Amino acid sequence: MNKVLVTGATGYIGSNLVKRFIKNDVEVHIITRVTSLVEQSDISGLPVVIHQHDGTTAGMIEIFQLARPEAVFHLAAKFVAEHESRDIAELVGSNLLFGLQLLEAMAATQVRHLINTGTAWQHYEQEAYNPVNLYAATKQAFETLAAYYVRAGLLKMITLKLLDTYGPNDPRPKLFTLFKRVSSSGEWLKMSYGEQRLGLVYIDDVVNAFLTAGQYIETLSDCEMPSYSIVPGQLYSLREIAAMYEVASGNRLNIAWGERPYRIREVMQPYVGTRLPNWEAKVALADGIKRCLEV
């Protein structure tokens, strides 16, 4: 693979994927929108070709006519854990309209390989389809739209369903960012009882999963669109993860367990599903936490 196009390149996972492609001497094209903050992201100054999308389908097709990538890695998304009414337009625009324009542009320019990003939250209570929240519902809706393009023989698609991801210098308001703040400030943190189990995958392993999928998609038969879960070798409860963080950091976390209720539709046991062939998580959670603390 010599040339790729990446959406969501300014995000944490997307920027790390872009860096790996550049390290592997792959030509990288990215799509940005008016709201994208490229200059403030980790890819600022990197040798990537930037295409700004004007929001139209014609504009998306023009981008593909210029870029002509061998494969597309679709990571752009609007995430909201618990949506409000004001989030509807952006959820639909980012997770459905933008993605549908991407599919149409691929079909129009005969770009046939798409690595899509899904979420384990599409499978509440381990069901084949039961979205935890509206965000997960939009991810499933995109797969439904993509099914037309795949079944019509216009492209092949692999969806990687992510659980929890983490790594050094992660700007997202994730669990270890919260633990780091509490550890340094000494403040008390109100949390649930902490019995929910999490599947934390280190960023290097996540990037490896996308690269593996990029190779595997070339072997798929026409009209295939499998989904694979990116799951670590072992799941831990939130309490167990907090204890591991305390050992790695040498600092006690002031956590008031049980002071907050579980969310509505809290995921107590993450969906595992079918694992991506020829991939496994190599960084154990204890080692990953240490790496995060070293930066």
Side-chain angles (χ1 to χ4, degrees):
M1 189 180 306
N2 298 310
K3 187 194 297 187
V4 299
L5 186 144
V6 180
T7 73
T10 58
Y12 183 65
I13 299 175
S15 62
N16 278 276
L17 179 60
V18 167
K19 290 175 186 176
R20 183 73 69 82
F21 277 133
I22 292 173
K23 183 179 179 180
N24 293 345
D25 294 323
V26 176
E27 182 179 326
V28 179
H29 294 248
I30 70 170
I31 297 179
T32 65
R33 287 172 282 185
V34 176
T35 55
S36 300
L37 301 175
V38 178
E39 295 78 11
Q40 300 175 30
S41 73
D42 272 359
I43 64 168
S44 177
L46 294 180
V48 299
V49 182
I50 300 174
H51 305 271
Q52 188 171 86
H53 182 220
D54 63 6
T56 69
T57 304
M60 184 70 80
I61 292 173
E62 184 177 347
I63 288 172
F64 272 78
Q65 288 171 335
L66 292 170
R68 295 289 178 180
E70 297 170 51
V72 176
F73 291 77
H74 181 35
L75 290 86
K78 168 66 176 178
F79 171 76
V80 181
E82 295 177 295
H83 81 277
E84 298 179 7
S85 297
R86 63 187 178 187
D87 297 317
I88 296 295
E90 192 170 358
L91 278 167
V92 172
S94 297
N95 299 350
L96 292 176
L97 177 59
F98 178 83
L100 186 54
Q101 291 173 331
L102 195 75
L103 293 167
E104 182 66 17
M106 290 181 67
T109 57
Q110 298 182 333
V111 176
R112 291 179 49 79
H113 293 166
L114 173 63
I115 309 301
N116 177 49
T117 309
T119 172
W121 280 10
Q122 292 166 238
H123 306 278
Y124 184 60
E125 300 289 3
Q126 311 297 312
E127 293 185 30
Y129 176 55
N130 186 348
V132 171
N133 54 13
L134 190 60
Y135 160 74
T138 62
K139 298 298 267 183
Q140 183 70 33
F142 173 73
E143 288 189 49
T144 300
L145 293 170
Y148 158 70
Y149 291 88
V150 174
R151 303 306 182 196
L154 298 171
L155 56 90
K156 302 176 186 179
M157 183 173 91
I158 290 177
T159 294
L160 300 184
K161 291 182 175 173
L162 304 184
L163 278 72
D164 298 287
T165 59
Y166 74 103
N169 301 311
D170 189 347
R172 300 172 297 175
K174 304 284 276 186
L175 183 62
F176 293 136
T177 305
L178 187 61
F179 282 174
K180 183 177 181 180
R181 190 193 78 207
V182 172
S183 178
S184 60
S185 68
E187 66 182 281
W188 278 89
L189 178 64
K190 293 181 179 181
M191 300 198 81
S192 68
Y193 285 101
E195 299 162 313
Q196 61 269 54
R197 296 172 70 77
L198 304 177
L200 288 156
V201 182
Y202 190 73
I203 185 62
D204 289 356
D205 287 329
V206 178
V207 169
N208 287 339
F210 278 95
L211 297 182
T212 299
Q215 296 174 337
Y216 186 61
I217 198 170
E218 297 179 3
T219 69
L220 293 183
S221 302
D222 290 341
C223 305
E224 285 197 74
M225 52 179 300
S227 296
Y228 299 109
S229 297
I230 306 307
V231 184
Q234 188 168 354
L235 307 176
Y236 296 94
S237 72
L238 181 55
R239 280 181 179 258
E240 290 173 327
I241 294 168
M244 293 172 70
Y245 189 92
E246 288 180 327
V247 171
S249 66
N251 296 322
R252 182 174 180 272
L253 296 173
N254 295 324
I255 299 178
W257 296 107
E259 289 296 312
R260 292 185 62 181
Y262 288 116
R263 285 178 182 166
I264 297 174
R265 299 173 70 78
E266 184 82 47
V267 177
M268 302 303 294
Q269 183 72 21
Y271 174 78
V272 174
T274 304
R275 296 174 186 267
L276 176 66
N278 302 316
W279 175 89
E280 64 178 359
K282 296 181 179 179
V283 180
L285 182 56
D287 292 334
I289 293 173
K290 290 178 183 178
R291 295 186 191 185
C292 292
L293 292 169
E294 288 170 355
V295 297

